[in-house]
Amino acid sequence: MEVDLTDKGSGKIWHRKPNASKDDGLMVKIKRSAASAFSSSSRTIYFMKACFDSDCERFVAGDHQGHIYIFNLSKNRFQLIQKTGQPCTAFTFNLLRKNEFLVALGDYSLQCFDAEKGELVAWMKGHESAIHNISVHSSGRYAVTTSAETTHLWDLDTFQQKHKLNIKEDVGLLQAFFLPNSDTIITCFRDDTIFAWDLHSMSCSYQLPVPPGKSPQYRTFAATRDARYLVAGGKSRFLHLWSLDSSKLIRVIEMPAKVKVIRQLEFLPDSYQKGVDQILGVLSQDGIMRFINTDLCKLLFDIGATDAGIKSVTVGVGGRHIVAVTEDGNLQVFSVQALAADINKPPPPLMKVVTGNTLSDTLSTESSMHRTRALATQSSSKARSKGGASSSEPEDKENKENSELGGLNKEKLLSILKGYGEYPAKYRMFIWRKILQLPENFSAYAALVDKGAHPAYSKLHEIYPIKSRKLLRILQRILSALAHWSPIFGEIQYLPSFAFPFVKLFQNNHLVCFELIASILVNWGQHWFEYFPNPPINVLGMVENMLAHHDPQLLQHLVRKGVTSEIYAWPLLETVFSEVLTQEEWLMLWDNVLSNHPSFLLVAAVAYNTCSRGPLMKCSELDDFKFFFHHRNAVNMKQVLKETYRLMEATPVDLHPQNTLGEFTPLTKGNYPVFNKFPKFIVDYQVQERERIRQEEIDYLRQKRVTLDVQKETIQKQQEEEQWYRQQQLLLEAEEKRRRMIQEEEAKLAEQRKRVLAMNREVKMKELTLLEAGRRKFLSFQKEQREVELKRLDDELQRKALQRDQETEVAIQEAEIKNMELQLQKKLFEQELYREFAVQSQVLRTEQDMHRKQAELEDRLRIKLEGAERDRELDVRKRMEQTLASAAQHNIDMWAHKELDHKHRMSDLDREEDHLKLAGLTAQNRALEGEVYGLMSNLHLQKETETAAGYEEIAAGRIQGESSKDRRMRTAEEELLEGRHHTLDLVDVVEDAEQRPRSAGLGYTELLPHDSSLDASRVSFERNRRAFDDKEIALLNEVRLLRQRLATENRNKRPPTLISRTAD
């Protein structure tokens, strides 16, 4: 059947209830088309994703236009609930509020909608790429969303992001999902690593090892409902089955050769296994989903076709329907029951019964059955050829019974029992099924099982604890089916112990087990429930009558000890002898019970008592009797059966229970018969009471849950408060510790400052000592230099005096002496120039040293000011002292300059006066600290003013000295030039005078030989003298220019800038 939604907002899915196809199980095909704006033909709107709700009655689907539809298969309705405008990339139900579902859209957002109202509940953002998978925790309070780059954990109570999984850029994320009914999150990456994380602590619980060999390249995963197994598949045809309990790879399943890539894995829930999922759906690249049995590695059935392949599949929790999204954008709904029809059929019987006397002739294979039929056909044909008469009525009845038993001969079976005491273990179950003529109503039993666990047996593990969880689940399923069949079976307290032996025997075939127990209750349990909730008094009365007839002495003993039939007969019947017999004995007994009249069970109870006559006669306490009939005893089972058959024959007709109990009646085929042989008003009353108690229990549990939530919240708040107090205490302790550390550091810092101040004081003292030593050394050097100068002047005076004395004595050598004098004057002038240059250089070096010292002093002052700025509040007084000391130092420097200019006459007195003033100010500062700040500031300003005035006076004096010096130099230069010109004039006069005697004495000199060396020396001397005079004049000019430049620089020089700071 195909349905087109077109642009309908709601309506029916189908107008005639579809029948699932027996070939592919397809129920209905849903598509959506819309009229095209450019052509008359319609265009298909592609469905993208689909998802079932928790009840498996509805599923939601979204298309690429953002239309979200909800389909209700039970009510045959569909409805358009939202238009998002963005394509849907993922869906999920199973939230805490059953009507709400999550949808991931193409704009990377996650939205929550109400399916009933069609309203937007919440809008969550955080992903930077499309969300391709959503997984919800079993509680419905948390959700995990997965995109290509990250995984987010959301709190669905507040719809806020709770955690974010960051991954490496080179390792892509495939999938993250919750394990069913677990607090574990499984994350799978593109490098085939699989990690398990705890939901609450977000710590890694374990990691599944990567299989050795070639990389499996996982792409899809699926987990069973019991969270014990995980299946992974990818870009190969191999499936890896992991055991999460042991974290080991337990099986590798190879798919058919047509499968190249596995795109999706989905477990098909099995209602008969209760969480032990074995049927796995594998969607491959060819668009066909194959369902396999992971335990048997067998291909069961498949869905889909290559021409319209399946893109994705969703399976309901109940496992009744499968919705597939195909490549052509349609939805296909499949019936699991139709797909699994061939699987759920019971296997055909392998054994047939043929005629014969021996056991080997009685039980044969199907081939021997054919041979028997052939022989029977031949014998009948011979009889007809001889003209034999028709068979008698007993033979017809026997043939009818044999046909009802599926070909088994009941008389032969009884003969086997009498000969061997039991059936062969290999064929026992088969014989039981045939004797009881079980109808194998699969559909009726499935309908009873689909109703789920009956409230009376929801807590079976508390009422009837069993070590094996598998047997407990099977027993709960069988008992629930019985209770749904007839309400009396939900009220019987002994039904678990009654059914458990049969459940343990038929644990692999639940249908046969259910019908076997139902047949026993209907036939062998006749009249058991007429006096409910009391034991069957009528049945126990029959047992007591038989015991009184066959062993009155034993009955009298039991009556004397107060032991009634509720003690010696009812425990055997309600437990079907399972507590007093071993497994082999119990099977032997029930081989005989099922093969005889329903009264055989009551006679067997009497026979068990008579065979145990010896131990019972020796019991005297009531507890001993109770213990005897609830525990195994040393009883020969073959003797009990022999005694039972004897009692069946020897019991009088009026006492025989065969008169009261009816013949065996098999269950009807198709549907099970109505069972109402019980006091309905009592059962209804108990059902009502049980329902009332259940409601009260639900209310109590809800109130208890609310109370526990409040208590948990209170405890949590108390813990948070205690934690807050602990944090505050820790903070206070940490603060106190930090305060002590700060105090210690401050003490260390104060001590360090004291040491630094002491070191600074020592350094200052050393500096002062060095300055004083340098000053003394400079004064000594200056004194020595002046002494050397004075000595040189004395020597010059002595030499000049000696020269004046020698001038009168050495008149003949006047020319040489004059020449020597000129040379001496030249040297003296050079020495004078060098001396003046040295003095000026010394002055310049002194000023440069003072400027450097002033700069160093300013640097130290700046460093001190920076330190004082950091410790401003603590070191104000010290800073002012330093500032005052700096001002005093500037004042001292000013006085030093002034004393140097005034020949250092008053330096000592002024320095002593300054020290006295400083000592006075310091004493006043210690007494009145507030007033001292003002006085120190005033004194500072006064010192600065005085210093500035002194420097201005010094500068003015220097300028005046420089001007006078320039005037003296100009006067000296003029006098020197005039003396030089006078000397040159005298030289000219002398030369003229020499020319005259030379011309006059020419006659005398011509007689003497000519001395060429004298002429050469005279010419050289004259040339050198004139060159020296020229150089001397040029040197004097250069000296004059140099002095003018130095005077100009001294006039432009300003006193150093003083940094003044007043107290804050």
Side-chain angles (χ1 to χ4, degrees):
M1 180 180 294
E2 183 173 337
V3 178
D4 191 353
L5 303 182
T6 61
D7 293 330
K8 298 178 183 178
S10 61
K12 292 183 178 181
I13 303 176
W14 53 73
H15 296 284
R16 180 172 56 86
K17 187 174 181 179
N19 294 324
S21 174
K22 295 182 179 179
D23 297 332
D24 55 4
L26 181 63
M27 291 178 57
V28 63
K29 180 179 179 182
I30 303 173
K31 69 176 183 178
R32 179 171 177 254
S33 59
S36 178
F38 301 100
S39 64
S40 58
S41 61
S42 60
R43 57 188 180 90
T44 302
I45 307 299
Y46 287 81
F47 283 99
M48 304 291 290
K49 292 289 181 179
C51 179
F52 271 101
D53 66 350
S54 58
D55 298 331
C56 302
E57 298 295 337
R58 301 180 301 174
F59 70 90
V60 64
D63 57 24
H64 71 275
Q65 290 185 346
H67 292 64
I68 301 177
Y69 291 86
I70 187 163
F71 299 87
N72 194 321
L73 298 178
S74 62
K75 296 182 180 180
N76 186 24
R77 302 291 298 177
F78 76 90
Q79 183 180 0
L80 175 63
I81 60 175
Q82 193 61 239
K83 295 181 180 179
T84 62
Q86 293 288 337
C88 305
T89 59
F91 282 103
T92 187
F93 265 99
N94 302 326
L95 273 65
L96 183 62
R97 290 166 287 275
K98 300 301 181 182
N99 288 330
E100 295 180 358
F101 65 91
L102 295 176
V103 55
L105 301 177
D107 59 353
Y108 313 152
S109 65
L110 181 67
Q111 297 183 10
C112 179
F113 291 99
D114 191 315
E116 294 291 339
K117 301 177 181 179
E119 298 177 352
L120 177 64
V121 178
W123 192 334
M124 294 161 279
K125 290 187 177 182
H127 284 275
E128 296 180 357
S129 60
I131 301 172
H132 58 77
N133 184 58
I134 306 175
S135 177
V136 178
H137 188 254
S138 57
S139 64
R141 296 182 178 273
Y142 304 101
V144 169
T145 57
T146 307
S147 61
E149 84 285 349
T150 185
T151 288
H152 289 186
L153 175 62
W154 303 91
D155 188 344
L156 298 183
D157 290 335
T158 60
F159 296 102
Q160 297 293 327
Q161 179 179 326
K162 185 178 181 182
H163 192 79
K164 179 180 179 181
L165 175 64
N166 295 319
I167 61 174
K168 296 181 180 179
E169 294 181 357
D170 56 344
V171 180
L173 181 65
L174 285 177
Q175 193 173 350
F177 57 92
F178 283 104
L179 285 180
N181 302 317
S182 174
D183 291 337
T184 303
I185 302 175
I186 299 294
T187 58
C188 313
F189 300 91
R190 292 190 179 275
D191 58 354
D192 300 330
T193 55
I194 303 174
F195 293 89
W197 307 85
D198 184 75
L199 170 62
H200 303 291
S201 62
M202 296 310 296
S203 60
C204 183
S205 301
Y206 56 86
Q207 178 185 1
L208 298 181
V210 180
K214 186 178 179 181
S215 175
Q217 296 183 345
Y218 294 142
R219 289 299 178 269
T220 181
F221 306 86
T224 58
R225 285 180 296 168
D226 58 357
R228 296 182 58 192
Y229 300 99
L230 177 70
V231 179
K235 294 184 177 181
S236 66
R237 58 191 180 101
F238 294 97
L239 296 176
H240 289 181
L241 180 62
W242 298 86
S243 174
L244 299 181
D245 295 335
S246 59
S247 301
K248 293 181 179 179
L249 180 65
I250 61 175
R251 188 171 300 166
V252 178
I253 303 173
E254 183 179 5
M255 296 297 294
K258 295 180 180 179
V259 177
K260 303 299 182 182
V261 177
I262 298 173
R263 296 166 57 182
Q264 186 178 355
L265 296 173
E266 289 289 341
F267 272 103
L268 187 63
D270 190 354
S271 59
Y272 301 105
Q273 299 295 333
K274 288 296 183 182
V276 186
D277 301 327
Q278 296 180 354
I279 301 178
L280 176 66
V282 182
L283 178 61
S284 57
Q285 85 288 343
D286 56 359
I288 297 177
M289 192 166 199
R290 299 169 175 85
F291 289 86
I292 63 172
N293 189 311
T294 58
D295 195 18
L296 303 176
C297 298
K298 179 181 178 182
L299 181 63
L300 304 179
F301 55 88
D302 55 41
I303 59 175
T306 56
D307 55 347
I310 297 175
K311 185 169 62 175
S312 63
V313 169
T314 178
V315 181
V317 179
R320 286 182 290 179
H321 298 95
I322 300 174
V323 174
V325 181
T326 60
E327 296 289 348
D328 54 1
N330 299 329
L331 297 177
Q332 294 181 355
V333 182
F334 296 89
S335 174
V336 177
Q337 185 176 357
L339 291 170
D342 295 335
I343 302 173
N344 295 327
K345 285 183 179 179
L350 300 177
M351 308 304 298
K352 299 296 180 182
V353 178
V354 296
T355 58
N357 294 327
T358 62
L359 178 62
S360 60
D361 294 335
T362 303
L363 301 176
S364 178
T365 59
E366 188 175 358
S367 61
S368 63
M369 186 65 187
H370 288 300
R371 291 196 300 271
T372 304
R373 289 178 180 177
L375 292 174
T377 305
Q378 293 177 4
S379 61
S380 61
S381 62
K382 288 180 181 180
R384 284 194 301 271
S385 64
K386 293 180 180 180
S390 60
S391 60
S392 61
E393 183 178 353
E395 292 178 354
D396 293 340
K397 184 177 180 180
E398 183 179 356
N399 292 334
K400 182 179 180 182
E401 290 179 355
N402 292 338
S403 63
E404 290 177 353
L405 294 176
L408 292 178
N409 192 325
K410 190 171 184 180
E411 294 297 332
K412 299 297 181 181
L413 292 177
L414 291 177
S415 65
I416 292 173
L417 283 179
K418 290 180 181 180
Y420 296 95
E422 60 180 341
Y423 292 128
K426 184 177 181 181
Y427 306 112
R428 176 177 282 115
M429 296 183 184
F430 172 73
I431 295 173
W432 284 15
R433 289 169 58 186
K434 293 304 178 182
I435 289 175
L436 296 177
Q437 302 176 28
L438 301 181
E440 297 183 358
N441 299 328
F442 177 81
S443 300
Y445 174 68
L448 294 175
V449 172
D450 287 343
K451 294 181 179 181
H454 194 273
Y457 300 109
S458 59
K459 297 183 179 179
L460 182 62
H461 61 282
E462 300 177 358
I463 302 173
Y464 194 77
I466 301 175
K467 185 176 181 181
S468 174
R469 295 179 61 86
K470 179 181 179 182
L471 287 177
L472 181 63
R473 290 194 300 269
I474 298 172
L475 179 61
Q476 184 183 28
R477 189 176 300 113
I478 300 298
L479 295 178
S480 298
L482 290 170
H484 289 307
W485 174 42
S486 180
I488 183 63
F489 298 126
E491 308 299 327
I492 299 176
Q493 301 296 327
Y494 59 84
L495 189 59
S497 58
F498 181 93
F500 178 71
F502 302 101
V503 171
K504 189 174 182 181
L505 184 62
F506 291 92
Q507 58 181 323
N508 294 325
N509 198 330
H510 305 170
L511 175 62
V512 173
C513 180
F514 169 79
E515 293 183 348
L516 176 69
I517 297 172
S519 298
I520 293 172
L521 290 172
V522 170
N523 294 279
W524 281 265
Q526 297 180 40
H527 309 292
W528 280 24
F529 313 108
E530 294 177 356
Y531 294 91
F532 180 81
N534 299 315
I537 301 173
N538 51 351
V539 176
L540 298 179
M542 288 187 284
V543 174
E544 187 172 355
N545 292 334
M546 285 189 292
L547 184 61
H549 176 76
H550 294 288
D551 198 344
Q553 185 179 359
L554 177 60
L555 180 61
Q556 290 177 3
H557 175 71
L558 295 175
V559 171
R560 282 196 305 270
K561 299 302 180 182
V563 179
T564 63
S565 58
E566 296 183 7
I567 296 177
Y568 66 79
W570 183 236
L572 300 176
L573 297 177
E574 68 179 359
T575 61
V576 290
F577 291 85
S578 61
E579 291 184 351
V580 296
L581 298 178
T582 62
Q583 184 177 0
E584 292 77 10
E585 293 172 347
W586 185 84
L587 292 173
M588 184 184 299
L589 171 65
W590 277 94
D591 282 344
N592 291 270
V593 170
L594 297 177
S595 300
N596 288 279
H597 192 270
S599 61
F600 189 87
L601 182 62
L602 303 181
V603 178
V606 178
Y608 185 84
N609 280 273
T610 57
C611 291
S612 304
R613 187 175 187 276
L616 290 175
M617 293 297 291
K618 294 182 180 180
C619 293
S620 58
E621 298 293 336
L622 184 62
D623 292 337
D624 295 339
F625 288 100
K626 292 181 179 180
F627 182 85
F628 183 85
F629 289 103
H630 283 282
H631 294 81
R632 295 176 182 175
N633 303 292
V635 178
N636 189 348
M637 195 62 220
K638 292 185 178 181
Q639 185 66 30
V640 173
L641 292 174
K642 185 177 180 181
E643 179 67 16
T644 304
Y645 280 108
R646 188 189 69 81
L647 294 178
M648 287 285 291
E649 298 293 335
T651 303
V653 177
D654 57 342
L655 298 179
H656 205 293
Q658 190 172 1
N659 297 329
T660 306
L661 301 179
E663 295 290 336
F664 171 76
T665 303
L667 299 178
T668 58
K669 292 187 177 181
N671 292 315
Y672 297 114
V674 177
F675 187 83
N676 56 358
K677 297 178 181 179
F678 54 87
K680 191 173 184 301
F681 67 95
I682 295 178
V683 174
D684 293 342
Y685 174 75
Q686 288 199 354
V687 170
Q688 292 175 2
E689 286 296 313
R690 185 182 298 276
E691 184 66 22
R692 183 183 59 82
I693 294 172
R694 190 176 69 85
Q695 291 295 334
E696 291 179 355
E697 185 178 3
I698 291 174
D699 295 339
Y700 167 73
L701 291 177
R702 183 171 60 254
Q703 294 177 1
K704 183 178 180 181
R705 185 168 60 252
V706 172
T707 305
L708 290 176
D709 291 341
V710 173
Q711 184 179 2
K712 184 178 179 181
E713 187 176 357
T714 304
I715 294 173
Q716 184 178 2
K717 288 183 178 179
Q718 289 178 356
Q719 292 176 354
E720 291 178 355
E721 187 176 359
E722 292 177 358
Q723 185 178 4
W724 184 81
Y725 279 120
R726 286 196 299 268
Q727 290 179 354
Q728 293 300 319
Q729 185 66 26
L730 292 175
L731 290 175
L732 291 176
E733 292 177 358
E735 184 179 358
E736 185 65 25
K737 184 178 179 181
R738 300 299 190 280
R739 189 179 290 109
R740 288 196 300 268
M741 292 174 62
I742 290 173
Q743 291 178 357
E744 293 175 358
E745 291 296 330
E746 287 180 351
K748 291 180 181 179
L749 185 60
E751 186 67 24
Q752 188 176 3
R753 285 175 180 171
K754 290 181 181 179
R755 291 197 299 269
V756 170
L757 290 176
M759 292 175 61
N760 290 334
R761 193 178 298 110
E762 292 178 0
V763 170
K764 288 180 181 179
M765 294 300 295
K766 289 181 180 180
E767 287 181 355
L768 292 175
T769 304
L770 292 175
L771 288 174
E772 185 66 22
R775 190 176 64 82
R776 290 177 181 177
K777 186 176 180 181
F778 174 73
L779 292 176
S780 176
F781 176 74
Q782 190 175 11
K783 180 179 179 182
E784 291 176 357
Q785 195 174 17
R786 288 183 178 180
E787 288 178 353
V788 170
E789 185 178 356
L790 290 175
K791 185 177 180 182
R792 190 170 55 250
L793 292 174
D794 291 340
D795 293 340
E796 185 178 0
L797 291 174
Q798 291 178 3
R799 190 173 54 254
K800 286 183 178 181
L802 183 61
Q803 287 177 358
R804 282 193 301 270
D805 292 340
Q806 290 177 355
E807 284 180 357
T808 57
E809 296 177 358
V810 189
I812 302 172
Q813 299 178 355
E814 185 178 1
E816 289 86 2
I817 292 173
K818 187 64 175 179
N819 189 13
M820 292 175 62
E821 184 179 359
L822 291 174
Q823 292 180 359
L824 181 60
Q825 288 180 357
K826 177 181 177 182
K827 290 180 180 181
L828 289 176
F829 183 75
E830 290 176 354
Q831 289 179 359
E832 183 66 21
L833 291 177
Y834 176 77
R835 184 172 60 253
E836 290 179 358
F837 179 76
V839 171
Q840 188 64 28
S841 299
Q842 184 65 30
V843 172
L844 292 175
R845 282 196 301 272
T846 302
E847 290 179 356
Q848 186 176 1
D849 292 338
M850 292 302 295
H851 180 71
R852 179 178 54 79
K853 290 179 181 179
Q854 181 67 26
E856 291 176 355
L857 185 62
E858 289 176 359
D859 292 339
R860 288 197 299 272
L861 179 61
R862 180 177 56 79
I863 295 172
K864 291 179 182 179
L865 289 176
E866 290 178 357
E869 187 67 24
R870 287 190 301 267
D871 303 326
R872 184 175 181 178
E873 295 179 357
L874 298 177
D875 301 332
V876 174
R877 181 171 57 82
K878 296 178 183 180
R879 193 167 58 243
M880 293 304 296
E881 290 178 357
Q882 292 175 0
T883 307
L884 182 60
S886 300
Q889 185 65 36
H890 286 296
N891 197 0
I892 290 171
D893 293 340
M894 181 274 296
W895 283 110
H897 286 290
K898 194 172 184 180
E899 286 169 357
L900 287 174
D901 291 339
H902 294 282
K903 297 182 181 181
H904 307 282
R905 287 178 297 181
M906 299 299 294
S907 60
D908 296 334
L909 293 177
D910 292 336
R911 191 161 49 252
E912 184 176 0
E913 181 181 0
D914 292 337
H915 283 298
L916 291 175
K917 288 181 181 180
L918 183 60
L921 290 174
T922 304
Q924 292 177 6
N925 187 18
R926 291 175 182 174
L928 299 173
E929 190 170 331
E931 295 180 1
V932 167
Y933 289 158
L935 293 175
M936 291 173 68
S937 300
N938 296 331
L939 183 61
H940 184 202
L941 294 174
Q942 182 179 357
K943 292 293 183 179
E944 286 183 348
T945 305
E946 185 178 358
T947 303
Y951 273 114
E952 291 178 356
E953 184 179 354
I954 290 170
R958 287 183 178 180
I959 292 172
Q960 186 177 1
E962 289 296 331
S963 61
S964 60
K965 188 184 296 183
D966 291 339
R967 187 170 57 256
R968 288 195 303 271
M969 289 299 296
R970 286 195 298 272
T971 304
E973 289 176 359
E974 292 176 355
E975 292 178 354
L976 183 61
L977 289 174
E978 290 178 357
R980 179 61 57 190
H981 289 298
H982 178 68
T983 303
L984 292 175
D985 294 337
L986 291 177
V987 169
D988 294 335
V989 171
V990 170
E991 288 179 354
D992 295 337
E994 287 178 354
Q995 287 289 337
R996 285 193 300 271
R998 187 178 296 113
S999 59
L1002 184 60
Y1004 301 101
T1005 56
E1006 290 177 356
L1007 297 177
L1008 295 175
H1010 179 72
D1011 191 359
S1012 61
S1013 61
L1014 290 177
D1015 296 336
S1017 61
R1018 187 178 297 110
V1019 172
S1020 177
F1021 175 75
E1022 292 294 336
R1023 187 183 300 111
N1024 291 336
R1025 186 177 60 183
R1026 291 185 179 276
F1028 176 74
D1029 293 338
D1030 295 337
K1031 289 181 179 181
E1032 185 176 10
I1033 293 171
L1035 181 60
L1036 289 176
N1037 293 328
E1038 290 178 0
V1039 169
R1040 185 178 59 187
L1041 293 175
L1042 180 61
R1043 286 182 176 179
Q1044 290 178 357
R1045 186 169 64 255
L1046 289 176
T1048 304
E1049 291 179 358
N1050 290 331
R1051 283 194 299 270
N1052 295 330
K1053 186 183 295 182
R1054 293 291 183 269
T1057 305
L1058 299 178
I1059 299 174
S1060 62
R1061 180 178 294 274
T1062 59
D1064 293 338

